[in-house]
Amino acid sequence: MKKADILVLDFGSQYTQLIARRLREQGVYAEILPFNVSLEEIKQKQPKGLILSGGPASVYANDAYFCDKGVFELNLPILGICYGMQLMAHHFGANVAPAGHKEYGKATIDIQNDSALFKNLPKKQTVWMSHSDRVENLPQGFEAIAISENSPFCVFGDEKRKFYALQFHPEVQHSEFGKNILKNFAKYACNCDSVWNMGSFAKTQAQKIQEEVGKDKVLCAVSGGVDSSVVAALLASAIKDQVVVVFVDNGLLRSGEKEQVEYMFKHTLGINLISIDAKEIFLSRLKGIVDPEQKRKIIGNTFIEIFEEEAKKHQDVKYLAQGTLYTDIIESSVVGASKTIKSHHNVGGLPEKMNLKLIEPLKEIFKDEVRALGIELGLNKDVVYRHPFPGPGLAIRIMGEVNEPSLKLLRKADVILIEELKSSGWYDKTWQAFCVLLNVQSVGVMGDNRTYDNAVCVRVVNASDGMTATFSHLPYELLENISRRIINEVDGINRVVYDISSKPPATIEWE
C-alpha cells in the first residue's frame, strides 16, 4: 500500500480536495480517505499527520459523521478544519451548538498566542468562514490561539500533543495565508519534507504498475484527451510491449476527432493504436434516452463491453487502464461523504461486474497535475494543454435524445467556436470551450422569412483543475463573431446564448 505524508479524512466538505492540493503544491504528498476508514488502513499508510476536513453535518445531530475514536490515540499531529474542529472539540468534552448567526465569507482573526501553525505569519489576517455551528467552550488541555469577531475560540490547540483546530477554511484562496498555515502544519507539526513532485509520482506509479501487472498485458483505453494520453505514455514507459492501446469511435466525437487521435498516437506519441468503429451500437442504445445519468451509464457499460471483447483477441490481457482523475471520483461520489453530482462514465457509469481489472494511475491527482506529469513524461505541449473533452462526448452536450441530426448541428457549431477562439488567441487563455445544443426552438427572422429553429449555448470557462470554474470574460466583438458565424453557417440554428454561470453552483458540462 502506498504511503502518504498526510492523510485527509473526508467528512463531505466541498473543499476537501483543496486541502490535498494545497499540501501537494508545497511538495507534501497528501491523500484523501473516507471519514469512516479503518484504523488499520490508516496505520498501513504510515502518515506523519492527519487532517479532519469540514462537512455539512453538525456533531450534535442524529446524522453526524464520526471517525474511529482511535485516531486521537495514534500519537499523530491532527488538524481539524470547520466540522473537523467541532468534532475534535466534541470528542474532548467541549460543547458545540448552533451559532447565533451563520457565518459565510471573509472574516478577520487575531492571533493571541504563539503556535506552530502561525509561525512567521502576521498576527492579524483575513480568512474564509463557512459554518453555522460554533464551539462554546475550550476542551480540556487546549488553549485559544486566535479569536475572531464572532468566536473567542476561532483557533485552539494543544501544542504538546500537536492537536490543532480551525473554524475557518485555510484551503480556499480567500484565506489570506491559508496555504502557509497548512505548510506550517506539515513542516513544523508533522516534520514532513517538501520532496513530492510529478517526477517522484511518475516513478512510484511506474513501479506500482510493474508490480501489479507482472507479465500480463494491459488494454489502455484512450480518447485523445490529455488524461488517457498521459496514462498511455505512463504505461508505455513502465511496461512497454505489454500495453494494447485502443481507441473507440463512439459516434459522439467532435468533427475530425478520430483522424486527429489516430495521427497523434502514431506520429506524435509513436504508440501503436487499435481503432474501433462502434458508432452504430452507441447511437442505437442511446435512442430515445433523455436522462443524463442514464446516458452516462449506457455509454460506460458499452465502452466496457467493447473493451472486453477486444481484450479476448489478445493473449494475456487481464487489465483495463483508463484516465480517471480525482475530480471524476469526487463528482461520482466514490469517496468520503460527498454527494453525487454526476456519474462519470469511467467511474459511476461502470458496470458492477467486469472481467478486466481496473488500473487507474491518475485517480489520486488533478487535471493540472496530470498536465505536469505529461510534460514530465515528454509529451508534446499541444497534447498536454488541449482542452478537456468528456468521455461521453457530445451525448452530454445535447439536451434530450442523441441522434444524427443533432450531432451534425452541434459539430458544425463547435468547429466555428474553436476556430474563432484560436484565431483570436483566446483558446490558450481558457480551460474549456464548447457548444451545447439546447433542443429548444425559438422564433427568428432571416431576410423576410420567419424561422423557428434551434438555440445553441456557448460555454467557455477558466479553471485550474476543473473542481471550480468561472465563465471566461470574452470580448463582446469575439462573442458577436461567434454568434454571427454559427447562425449564418449552420442551417437549423437561429439563436446563440452565452453561459455566464460559474462552478459551483453550476457544473462545467450541462449534463
Side-chain angles (χ1 to χ4, degrees), residues 56-210:
S58 297
V59 292
Y60 52 79
N62 293 330
D63 61 349
Y65 301 134
F66 293 102
C67 58
D68 191 307
K69 293 180 180 180
V71 302
F72 297 102
E73 309 298 330
L74 292 173
N75 198 29
L76 291 173
I78 299 177
L79 173 63
I81 297 174
C82 199
Y83 181 86
M85 171 206 206
Q86 294 156 20
L87 176 66
M88 187 181 292
H90 177 80
H91 175 79
F92 287 105
N95 187 46
V96 179
H101 64 274
K102 297 178 181 179
E103 192 173 16
Y104 298 102
K106 291 183 179 180
T108 300
I109 63 169
D110 290 294
I111 299 167
Q112 305 289 299
N113 294 300
D114 290 338
S115 170
L117 289 187
F118 297 99
K119 190 171 183 176
N120 301 321
L121 297 180
K123 296 294 185 182
K124 188 185 290 287
Q125 51 188 265
T126 301
V127 298
W128 186 263
M129 299 286 190
S130 181
H131 65 99
S132 57
D133 295 326
R134 69 180 231 161
V135 176
E136 300 271 289
N137 59 293
L138 281 175
Q140 188 174 359
F142 290 79
E143 68 172 4
I145 295 174
I147 63 173
S148 69
E149 181 180 356
N150 293 306
S151 175
F153 313 119
C154 183
V155 181
F156 60 80
D158 179 341
E159 293 288 343
K160 185 177 181 180
R161 287 183 290 181
K162 297 182 180 178
F163 288 171
Y164 304 97
L166 308 175
Q167 183 62 81
F168 61 91
H169 289 269
E171 66 271 26
V172 302
Q173 292 181 343
H174 306 291
S175 288
E176 190 176 10
F177 296 98
K179 64 181 181 181
N180 304 88
I181 294 169
L182 291 171
K183 181 180 180 180
N184 283 347
F185 174 71
K187 182 177 181 179
Y188 299 116
C190 305
N191 296 315
C192 294
D193 297 320
S194 298
V195 295
W196 187 83
N197 54 44
M198 280 297 111
S200 60
F201 178 82
K203 291 178 182 177
T204 299
Q205 288 300 317
Q207 183 180 358
K208 185 177 178 181
I209 291 167
Q210 290 166 355

Side-chain angles (χ1 to χ4, degrees), residues 400-417:
E401 182 184 357
V402 180
N403 52 50
E404 284 288 7
S406 293
L407 286 165
K408 185 177 180 180
L409 284 179
L410 187 54
R411 286 192 181 104
K412 288 182 177 180
D414 196 71
V415 165
I416 293 170
L417 169 62

Side-chain angles (χ1 to χ4, degrees), residues 276-383:
I276 299 173
D277 186 343
K279 293 190 289 288
E280 186 176 335
I281 185 173
F282 275 93
L283 293 181
S284 65
R285 292 183 179 182
L286 289 170
K287 186 176 182 180
I289 304 299
V290 297
D291 178 73
E293 283 294 287
Q294 198 173 355
K295 287 182 187 179
R296 288 175 175 272
K297 291 185 185 300
I298 288 171
I299 291 167
N301 278 275
T302 306
F303 267 125
I304 295 300
E305 182 182 315
I306 292 170
F307 291 140
E308 290 187 337
E309 283 300 312
E310 180 62 30
K312 293 176 183 177
K313 301 175 184 178
H314 306 270
Q315 191 174 6
D316 297 326
V317 173
K318 296 183 180 179
Y319 295 87
L320 170 64
Q322 55 183 16
T324 304
L325 304 189
Y326 190 70
T327 45
D328 300 336
I329 292 174
I330 288 176
E331 291 192 329
S332 296
S333 191
V334 176
V335 298
S338 57
K339 305 296 184 183
T340 300
I341 307 300
K342 55 190 177 184
S343 295
H344 287 261
H345 81 286
N346 55 343
V347 186
L350 294 177
E352 292 183 8
K353 185 177 181 180
M354 292 173 50
N355 296 322
L356 298 174
K357 299 177 184 178
L358 276 179
I359 289 182
E360 298 170 308
L362 311 183
K363 68 180 181 180
E364 296 168 352
I365 62 177
F366 300 85
K367 179 72 76 173
D368 54 334
E369 293 174 318
V370 172
R371 287 183 166 137
L373 177 59
I375 296 297
E376 181 72 28
L377 293 169
L379 294 187
N380 190 297
K381 284 189 176 182
D382 290 338
V383 176

